[in-house]
Structures are given as C-alpha cells and as structure tokens.
Amino acid sequence: MTQHSGKNWLLISLGIAQAVLLLVLLYSIYQVNAGLADLNRTLTLFMQSGSAGPGNKIKVSLGDELPYMGVKDAKVVMTILSDFECDYCREFAQRILPKLKSEYVDKGKLKIIFKDLPLPMHKNALMAAEAASCAHEQGRFWNMHDYLFANQGKFGLEFFTQWAASAQLDTQKYGQCMAEHRYIKPIENSIIEATSAGIQGTPAIIVNGQLTMGTKPYAYFAQLIDSQLDGGVAQR
C-alpha cells in the first residue's frame, strides 16, 4: 500500500467514524423526542378519564423527594397539583399560598407538597415543570415556582436558563438536567396518578385526603385546615 493510498484509507476511516457518531447522536435525539411524544399521548389519554367530585377522598403518593414546605410531621398535609401555565394556579400561588405559609406553615401546623399536573392544552407547561424540577435538584424549587407564576407567557429554554444563571445555580448541571429531560418520568407518574384518580383540572388541592378543585377564598382553606387541626388525623 502506498503512502497516498494509506492517507485515503485513514480519511475514509475517519469519515465512517464521524458518520457512526452522527447516527448515534441522531438516534439519541430520536429517542428523547419519541419519549416526549409518548408523554403527550399519555397526557391526552389520561385527561379523558372520569372526573373526581369536590370533597372526594383522594390518596396520592407523598414521597420525600417531592418539593415541600413546612415540618415533615405536620398534622395537616396539603398537596397542590398544579400547572405553571394555569391562570387559576397562578391566582392560588400568589394570593392564597403566601397567607397559608405565614399563618400555618411557618407555625408548624401545615406541610404543603407540590406535585406536577401539566395540562395538554398548555404547550409550555410540561417544559416549565421540568425546569422547576431541575431547580429543585439544586434546592431552589420554591424560588423557581414563584418566578414561573410571575412570568407566565415568557416560557422557553432560554428564559429558564437565564433564570438559573441569575439565581446562581450551577448552570452546567442545570443545562444537563434540562437536556436529558431528567424528570420526565416522575412528571408522567404524577399525571397518571392524578388522572387515574379522576382529577382532570388544576389547581387540585388535597387536604388530608379531601379534594378541592379550583381556587377558593383564603377563608375556605383556613376553615378546612382548622377543622383538621381540631379533629383530623395526622397524615404521614
């Protein structure tokens, strides 16, 4: 083999290697996109399930990995199933949640847990749920929660990344978390669990198992919590 033909063979080998790497990359992208497509189908499928009525007893998983505020062993547990593009969820987050925090959470009476329920008609809600989960990974969920509800209509990957930088998160880790869609499966599980229980809309507020659909005046939730504090059984 001549020196010239050896160089040609080397170039051909490098070309083949690059082509293989490109195929691997394209396949990886395809797998991620396929996963997202499957999730969108799951969203549509489960949103067709039966609805749960107000006051129904609902049981949802309350793992320690979920974002929460308050003491772990509070007698009353409120679980919020929410969508970051939902107007009523924003109303609850901005008008009701701060009062609940100051009057009950900060006094050790209430634990509030957040669970994702992005609705299929909100095109950026799923991405926002991922963004908040990636922030939670670095201990900044509630900061991101408040920022998202204060900036509905601006969602996008650049928006989330800029927030991560301004919040002094590790932007490399945050970017990897978003690129890998690391929390797609937990979000999907939350959707399936909620919709299997007949919950179709947001916000869905569960207080010691008792379901309330939609936002209500603060006095409604205060009375509900007080009734559980007076005679309810502590949740675990």
Side-chain angles (χ1 to χ4, degrees), residues 139-200:
R140 301 298 292 276
F141 172 81
W142 292 107
N143 305 80
M144 183 59 149
H145 167 278
D146 295 347
Y147 192 72
L148 289 173
F149 279 123
N151 290 276
Q152 283 183 342
K154 300 179 182 179
F155 296 170
L157 187 57
E158 183 178 356
F159 171 82
F160 302 138
T161 305
Q162 287 176 349
W163 176 85
S166 67
Q168 298 183 328
L169 299 187
D170 184 322
T171 53
Q172 183 176 357
K173 288 182 179 179
Y174 187 83
Q176 288 175 344
C177 180
M178 291 294 289
E180 293 171 5
H181 300 284
R182 192 173 296 164
Y183 291 97
I184 280 290
K185 190 62 178 178
I187 293 169
E188 181 182 31
N189 289 340
S190 179
I191 294 165
I192 291 172
E193 180 183 59
T195 53
S196 295
I199 299 173
Q200 295 181 322

Side-chain angles (χ1 to χ4, degrees), residues 58-76:
I58 300 291
K59 186 174 182 179
V60 293
S61 58
L62 304 176
D64 288 339
E65 74 281 358
L66 294 170
Y68 75 90
M69 61 172 72
V71 295
K72 285 189 175 183
D73 59 349
K75 185 175 182 179
V76 183

Side-chain angles (χ1 to χ4, degrees), residues 82-93:
S82 189
D83 174 321
F84 286 111
E85 285 196 315
C86 160
D87 291 337
Y88 294 112
C89 298
R90 182 187 67 230
E91 182 181 353
F92 181 87

